[in-house]
Amino acid sequence: MHALIVLGGDAPAKDLLESCMRQADLTLAADSGLTAFDTAGLMPDMLIGDMDSVAPDVLARYEGKLPEHRLNCIKDDTDGVDALDVAIGRGADEITLLGALGGRLDHALANLMLLVRAHHHGVRAQILEKGLRIVRVDGSYALHGAKGDTVSLLPLGEAHGVTLRGFFYPLCDHTLKSDYPLGVSNVVTEDEALVSVKQGDLILFHFFQESPKRRAGSANGIVE
């Protein structure tokens, strides 16, 4: 099952939200992520959060119209974590996150960690925004037809045994460390490119010009 979660960062473009909704079996708004649905004139399947950031007038328009999973404002986890856990608990094995970037930098970094949390639950996850896909590389990740695109690879901690084929800057069994951003702004040079990692949390940022449907296919990612 494919779940879509919209978080409270920069709102996704309407066409991206509509496209992702068509591919999703379950759609969740995490707190002020509801605003993106409201602006686009769309309705999620569920609202999750402590409702401390969604505008009261927006919230009022949806009260009684969709299920809510309301959280206490005093809590240890984020609305994004709860939304991810609800999606997994309902059987999601693929998750797309929108609205995960922008706004506060700490929130954006916390949302990157959701990719790792999903992996720990055996679930594939991606962050999408216009022209960008972010995934955690699980073993290997293939890029098809992405020649000329920019790819950055950043480890959370250390990533061991990183190998890059089909890139301007290749690597072979290399260790990437968080104190040296060696993997920033690489370029795909072949129609078929491959990223592989043996151990660690390696986050891949794929910047593309055209529809990601035609620009990325992967061993562990999600292609809508």
Side-chain angles (χ1 to χ4, degrees):
M1 184 179 77
H2 191 161
L4 169 66
I5 299 172
V6 180
L7 304 167
D10 287 348
K14 182 179 179 181
D15 59 345
L16 177 59
L17 177 56
E18 290 176 333
S19 175
C20 289
M21 286 189 73
R22 286 193 295 270
Q23 301 298 322
D25 304 296
L26 174 68
T27 58
L28 306 174
D31 208 310
S32 60
L34 181 64
T35 304
F37 288 97
D38 185 64
T39 300
L42 301 169
M43 177 88 72
D45 294 320
M46 179 179 285
L47 174 61
I48 299 172
D50 54 19
M51 313 311 164
D52 67 341
S53 58
V54 61
D57 60 322
V58 173
L59 184 60
R61 281 196 286 275
Y62 291 85
E63 284 187 314
K65 296 181 180 179
L66 76 164
E68 290 186 15
H69 182 67
R70 196 171 286 246
L71 307 171
N72 194 314
C73 289
I74 302 174
K75 61 187 190 301
D76 294 327
D77 48 11
T78 66
D79 295 328
V81 167
D82 275 287
L84 188 84
D85 288 352
V86 167
I88 293 171
R90 289 181 170 235
D93 54 11
E94 296 183 347
I95 295 175
T96 293
L97 300 160
L98 301 180
L101 307 177
R104 282 173 47 177
L105 179 58
D106 55 340
H107 286 178
L109 291 173
N111 291 334
L112 288 178
M113 294 178 183
L114 296 179
L115 301 176
V116 178
R117 184 174 183 83
H119 166 74
H120 289 168
H121 286 274
V123 174
R124 296 182 296 170
Q126 64 178 351
I127 291 172
L128 281 183
E129 66 173 32
K130 194 172 182 65
L132 172 64
R133 170 183 277 108
I134 308 173
V135 299
R136 178 197 181 277
V137 180
D138 182 15
S140 63
Y141 187 93
L143 294 130
H144 307 293
K147 187 175 181 179
D149 289 353
T150 297
V151 170
S152 289
L153 293 158
L154 296 176
L156 297 179
E158 294 186 358
H160 301 278
V162 178
T163 296
L164 306 180
R165 297 190 179 94
F167 288 85
F168 185 83
Y169 298 102
L171 287 176
C172 182
D173 202 26
H174 192 82
T175 295
L176 292 178
K177 301 181 179 182
S178 58
D179 65 350
Y180 184 58
L182 178 68
V184 168
S185 294
N186 210 332
V187 177
V188 179
T189 57
E190 304 292 339
D191 290 332
E192 303 290 329
L194 183 69
V195 177
S196 61
V197 59
K198 294 179 180 177
Q199 182 181 5
D201 295 314
L202 181 63
I203 307 301
L204 181 147
F205 301 75
H206 177 199
F207 299 89
F208 49 82
Q209 295 296 321
E210 299 176 7
S211 167
K213 186 181 297 184
R214 299 195 303 271
R215 301 305 297 273
S218 68
N220 70 321
I222 303 170
V223 179
E224 71 283 4

